[in-house]
């Protein structure tokens, strides 16, 4: 075992014979073991005093009451939120149904007499069907030129 | 009264379905550990009690949010791990918000019944304890978590690893670094002869 492995092994309460053997010959690991003991002892808090122990008495009951209070308060808030949401929905529906509707142009078009609409389709109603078509011919090319 | 063999997760699920006894059993199981963890950061016993209560309430809150999700993907609520992590964070926040850590260790020292007979030695000892405890609260986050779970909570490394979601080897490594750091701090600041300067 190297020193780092021994130092990590020293963190556990039990010491294997291998660790003990290393420790008996290694001054650095002996120093770490000593420091570990000192540091943990200095850092540890004393056992809870009588006042502290008394402070814990009745904690489950008090915490239960606090939890119930929180739940009730949350239910109230959820109720308020649901009511506010419903109110907003009703208001939105009211606004939607009461909104001003624009008169649509279609109505005026429909109101026109049918004759007027028919005549509106042809700008020159007197043209015969033959006048509508015209012949398409290729232009004459000068001689010797290919298209 | 729920059977003592029931797991924390099962008790937590029972409590969230309205079983008050399950709530009480969970609190009785863990309130001592939580209290020991948070008292390092509290100025008075009442403050430690308040932090303990808040840790439980927040853990129950987290459980109530998680329970519906567990119905879809069954699993156990890691209640104790949440509780201890919440407790450590609440403690640290208490220190940050109130900067009260300087008072806490001194009061704890005053409450201590064991005192060396020599007044000067007692004073030096109290100073070293206060310095070391202050140094604990200033450790890097992970080292502080591992160190306090081990020293204050008395948890084995396997359970510390489970609580923090790290490997056992990693937990030991953090503790090892924390000890070395604290040792250096104590050497720099303290006059305690037990930790002589310049020795490895």
């Amino acid at each position: 075992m190297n020193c780092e492995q021994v130092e990590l092994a020293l963190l556990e309460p039990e010491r294997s014979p291998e660790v003990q053997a290393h420790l008996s010959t290694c001054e650095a690991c002996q120093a770490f073991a000593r420091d570990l003991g000192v540091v943990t002892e200095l850092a540890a808090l004393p056992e809870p005093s009588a006042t502290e122990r008394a402070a814990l008495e009745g904690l489950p009951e008090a915490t239960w009451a606090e939890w119930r209070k929180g739940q009730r308060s949350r239910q109230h808030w959820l109720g308020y939120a649901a009511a506010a949401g419903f109110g907003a929905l009703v208001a939105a529906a009211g606004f939607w149904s009461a909104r001003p509707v624009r008169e649509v142009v279609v109505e005026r078009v429909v109101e026109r007499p049918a004759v007027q609409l028919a005549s509106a389709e042809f700008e020159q109603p007197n043209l015969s069907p033959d006048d509508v078509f015209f012949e398409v011919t290729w232009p004459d090319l000068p001689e010797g030129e290919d298209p | 009264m729920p059977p003592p063999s029931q797991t924390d997760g099962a008790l937590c699920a029972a409590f969230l379905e309205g079983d008050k006894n399950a709530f009480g059993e969970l609190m009785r199981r863990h309130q001592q550990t939580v209290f020991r963890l948070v008292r390092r950061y509290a100025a008075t016993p009442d403050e430690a009690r308040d932090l303990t209560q808040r840790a439980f309430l927040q853990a129950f809150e987290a459980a109530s949010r998680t329970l519906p999700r567990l119905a879809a993907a069954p699993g156990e609520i890691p209640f104790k791990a949440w509780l201890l992590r919440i407790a450590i964070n609440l403690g640290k926040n208490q220190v940050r918000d109130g900067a009260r850590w300087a008072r806490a260790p001194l009061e704890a020292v005053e409450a201590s019944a064991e005192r060396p007979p020599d007044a000067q030695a007692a004073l030096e000892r109290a100073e070293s304890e206060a310095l070391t405890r202050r140094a604990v609260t200033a450790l890097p986050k992970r080292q502080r978590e591992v160190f306090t779970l081990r020293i204050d909570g008395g948890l084995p490394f396997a359970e510390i690893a489970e609580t923090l979601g790290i490997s056992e080897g990693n937990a030991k490594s953090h503790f090892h670094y924390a000890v070395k750091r604290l040792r250096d701090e104590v050497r720099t600041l303290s006059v305690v002869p037990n930790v002589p300067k310049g020795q490895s």
Side-chain angles (χ1 to χ4, degrees), chain B residues 7-13 15-16 22-23 25-27 29-31 34 55-64 76-86 162-163:
Chain B
T7 63
D8 285 354
L11 284 172
C12 201
F15 150 64
L16 291 171
F23 180 94
E25 176 62 22
L26 274 172
M27 286 213 64
R29 271 187 197 181
H30 303 303
Q31 69 175 14
V34 174
F56 272 100
L57 289 172
Q58 286 191 18
F60 285 130
E61 209 40 71
S64 72
E76 180 101 329
I77 295 174
F79 183 76
K80 189 178 179 186
W82 287 351
L83 180 65
L84 299 184
R85 280 210 300 262
I86 289 169
E162 196 186 326
T163 302

Side-chain angles (χ1 to χ4, degrees), chain B residues 9-178:
Chain B
L11 284 172
C12 201
F15 150 64
L16 291 171
E17 283 164 17
D19 186 348
K20 187 183 171 184
N21 289 332
F23 180 94
E25 176 62 22
L26 274 172
M27 286 213 64
R28 268 186 293 280
R29 271 187 197 181
H30 303 303
Q31 69 175 14
Q32 289 286 347
T33 310
V34 174
F35 186 77
R36 282 171 179 271
L37 278 176
V38 297
R39 66 198 277 262
R40 180 175 290 280
Y41 306 99
T44 63
D46 281 345
E47 205 170 88
R49 183 184 194 272
D50 182 50
L51 285 173
T52 306
Q53 188 181 64
R54 277 163 57 197
F56 272 100
L57 289 172
Q58 286 191 18
F60 285 130
E61 209 40 71
S64 72
R65 280 196 305 269
T66 310
L67 200 65
R69 285 206 296 272
L70 287 182
E76 180 101 329
I77 295 174
F79 183 76
K80 189 178 179 186
W82 287 351
L83 180 65
L84 299 184
R85 280 210 300 262
I86 289 169
I88 294 173
N89 286 338
L90 281 175
K92 185 63 183 171
N93 291 349
Q94 184 81 356
V95 171
R96 187 197 59 202
D97 297 343
R100 279 171 259 201
W101 51 268
R103 280 192 289 146
L106 292 175
E107 282 183 15
V109 167
E110 281 162 18
S112 172
E114 286 183 40
R115 281 281 181 82
D118 179 57
Q120 182 61 30
L123 188 66
E124 285 178 1
R125 171 87 186 173
E127 270 180 29
S128 298
E129 285 175 349
L131 287 170
T132 314
R133 289 167 192 166
R134 208 171 299 171
V136 170
T137 60
L139 282 171
K141 185 173 181 274
R142 194 57 101 190
Q143 288 178 27
R144 177 174 48 80
E145 288 171 345
V146 171
F147 192 84
T148 51
L149 282 169
R150 178 77 176 161
I151 298 296
D152 298 338
L155 266 59
F157 282 110
E159 205 171 326
I160 294 172
E162 196 186 326
T163 302
L164 300 176
I166 57 178
S167 70
E168 191 177 339
N170 205 344
K172 277 187 185 174
S173 183
H174 281 299
F175 188 84
H176 186 224
Y177 281 121

Side-chain angles (χ1 to χ4, degrees), chain A residues 7 31 35 43 46-47 55 74, chain B residues 36 40 49 61 176 183 200:
Chain A
E7 284 183 3
D35 292 348
E47 280 298 300
R74 180 185 299 167
Chain B
R36 282 171 179 271
R40 180 175 290 280
R49 183 184 194 272
E61 209 40 71
H176 186 224
R183 179 194 65 188
S200 168

Side-chain angles (χ1 to χ4, degrees), chain A residues 6-79:
Chain A
V6 170
E7 284 183 3
L8 287 173
L10 286 171
L11 303 181
E12 295 285 6
E14 296 86 27
R15 290 181 185 177
S16 69
E18 210 179 348
V19 171
Q20 290 284 21
H22 180 102
L23 211 54
S24 62
T25 57
C26 179
E27 281 187 20
C29 287
Q30 286 170 14
F32 178 78
R34 205 168 38 245
D35 292 348
L36 176 66
V38 171
V39 164
T40 51
E41 200 185 316
L42 286 174
L45 296 176
E47 280 298 300
S49 63
T51 320
E52 286 175 308
R53 283 197 300 273
L56 278 183
E57 279 173 22
L59 187 62
E61 289 73 23
T63 309
W64 173 258
E66 199 64 29
W67 171 261
R68 297 290 299 157
K69 203 169 90 182
Q71 293 295 103
R72 276 197 298 273
S73 157
R74 180 185 299 167
Q75 277 165 2
H76 282 152
W77 278 111
L78 283 175

